[in-house]
């Protein structure tokens, strides 16, 4: 029994070593579309893949973000404006990707988005506060994935969903954790379904990347705004002591 266990462990180690040495060959002409490239992880990934010879199409939410990315990248990197909460914006971006890939299909789709996440007890929030996160982090990414599946299937590519691991810990109210758990479920289901077409669906659970400056003063100011706008009945049920602590 002990020999069998050791043999299994050794086999897994050999498998991991072989797998980790695998590299994609012939990068020229392989298109990768990345969302959320204004700053942070998406921005760094776009630059990294561009330097290695991929045909990168980087989606930015702002014109400034796209211009700054292009200024420090090769001419082959293309940018497109994308607002994931807007179906029309998604349709335009998909059209742009379709034209750029010119019938070759899409080698990779990297979904990376961090919608604004109100941090507060659940019954301090409105349904609009949930939409502000879910429409970007979950529904927007699902919509653009669905519309790009034909291109992924054509190239037998891969969809990579970058999910902040801290979103898998439901320690605060709001839509942030909901969106991350939702992307996990969507990815796991899609992975099984896409095996038939040779498309890989991958989840990368990463740590915290500080893309912008979020101070305790900003969080406190937002909480004060929510507190002052609460229904008196809800505010009284918590009490001033709860809010101060």
């Amino acid at each position: 029994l002990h020999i069998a266990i050791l043999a299994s462990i050794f086999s897994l180690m050999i498998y991991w070593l072989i797998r980790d040495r695998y590299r994609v060959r012939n990068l020229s002409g392989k298109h990768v579309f990345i969302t959320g490239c204004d700053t942070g992880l998406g921005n760094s990934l776009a630059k990294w893949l561009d330097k290695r010879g991929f045909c990168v199409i980087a989606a930015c939410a702002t014109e400034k973000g796209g211009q700054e990315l292009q200024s420090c990248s090769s001419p082959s990197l293309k940018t497109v404006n994308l607002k994931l909460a807007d179906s029309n914006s998604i349709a335009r971006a998909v059209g742009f990707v379709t034209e750029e890939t010119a019938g070759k299909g899409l080698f990779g789709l990297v979904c990376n988005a961090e919608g604004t996440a109100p941090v507060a007890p659940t019954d301090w929030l409105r349904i609009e506060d949930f939409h502000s996160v879910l429409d970007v982090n979950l529904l927007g990414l699902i919509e653009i994935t669905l519309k790009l599946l034909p291109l992924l299937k054509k190239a037998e590519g891969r969809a990579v969903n970058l999910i902040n691991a801290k979103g898998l810990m439901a320690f605060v109210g709001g839509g942030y954790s909901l969106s991350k758990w939702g992307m996990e479920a969507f990815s796991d289901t899609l992975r099984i379904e896409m095996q038939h077409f040779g498309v890989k669906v991958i989840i990368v659970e990463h740590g915290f990347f500080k893309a912008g400056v979020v101070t305790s003063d900003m969080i406190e100011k937002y909480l004060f705004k929510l507190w002052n706008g609460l229904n008196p009945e809800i505010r009284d049920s918590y009490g001033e002591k709860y809010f101060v602590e």
Side-chain angles (χ1 to χ4, degrees):
L1 179 61
H2 293 297
I3 294 175
I5 293 173
L6 288 173
S8 298
I9 294 173
F10 183 73
S11 297
L12 283 172
M13 291 175 64
I14 295 296
Y15 166 74
W16 285 331
L17 287 171
I18 294 173
R19 182 197 63 180
D20 291 344
R21 292 182 64 184
Y22 175 76
R23 295 291 183 272
V24 176
R25 307 296 179 187
N26 302 317
L27 306 183
S28 178
K30 287 183 167 61
H31 288 81
V32 179
F33 178 58
I34 310 170
T35 70
C37 293
D38 293 81
T39 59
L41 186 55
N43 184 277
S44 298
L45 180 62
K47 294 174 183 175
W48 190 83
L49 292 178
D50 177 52
K51 288 179 180 178
R52 276 151 184 79
F54 284 97
C55 298
V56 177
I57 306 172
C60 298
T62 65
E63 185 176 341
K64 179 183 177 182
Q67 290 174 346
E68 290 179 350
L69 180 56
Q70 283 186 313
S71 68
C72 56
S73 304
S74 77
S76 67
L77 183 143
K78 307 295 183 182
T79 61
V80 61
N81 183 264
L82 173 64
K83 298 188 185 305
L84 284 169
D86 182 350
S87 291
N88 291 327
S89 178
I90 289 175
R92 287 191 293 270
V94 169
F96 183 83
V97 174
T98 302
E99 290 179 5
E100 287 294 320
T101 54
K104 298 178 182 178
L106 187 61
F107 178 78
L109 165 64
V110 182
C111 285
N112 163 60
E114 290 289 313
T116 304
V119 177
T122 298
D123 63 352
W124 292 22
L125 303 172
R126 306 160 301 160
I127 192 63
E128 290 81 6
D129 295 316
F130 285 85
H131 274 296
S132 69
V133 182
L134 295 175
D135 288 351
V136 175
N137 287 5
L138 180 58
L139 298 178
L141 292 188
I142 290 175
E143 182 174 356
I144 200 162
T145 300
L146 293 177
K147 290 185 175 178
L148 287 173
L149 278 180
L151 295 181
L152 288 168
K153 289 158 72 174
K154 186 177 184 66
E156 294 189 356
R158 65 268 298 129
V160 182
N161 292 321
L162 306 182
I163 301 176
N164 196 320
K166 76 181 191 306
L168 303 180
M169 298 177 286
F171 58 88
V172 68
Y176 190 78
S177 292
L178 291 176
S179 69
K180 301 308 176 184
W181 282 107
M183 280 308 296
E184 291 268 349
F186 175 72
S187 302
D188 288 343
T189 303
L190 190 65
R191 182 182 303 113
I192 297 169
E193 297 168 348
M194 287 295 108
Q195 285 179 350
H196 175 73
F197 301 99
V199 174
K200 298 180 178 65
V201 179
I202 302 152
I203 296 171
V204 177
E205 295 175 352
H206 60 82
F208 179 69
F209 287 84
K210 188 176 181 181
V213 179
V214 180
T215 66
S216 58
D217 288 339
M218 293 170 62
I219 295 173
E220 185 176 342
K221 183 178 180 180
Y222 182 79
L223 286 173
F224 265 112
K225 181 180 178 181
L226 282 178
W227 176 260
N228 292 328
L230 284 177
N231 181 303
E233 184 179 349
I234 295 177
R235 190 165 57 235
D236 291 344
S237 70
Y238 281 89
E240 291 285 346
K241 185 178 179 181
Y242 177 92
F243 179 70
V244 173
E245 291 179 349

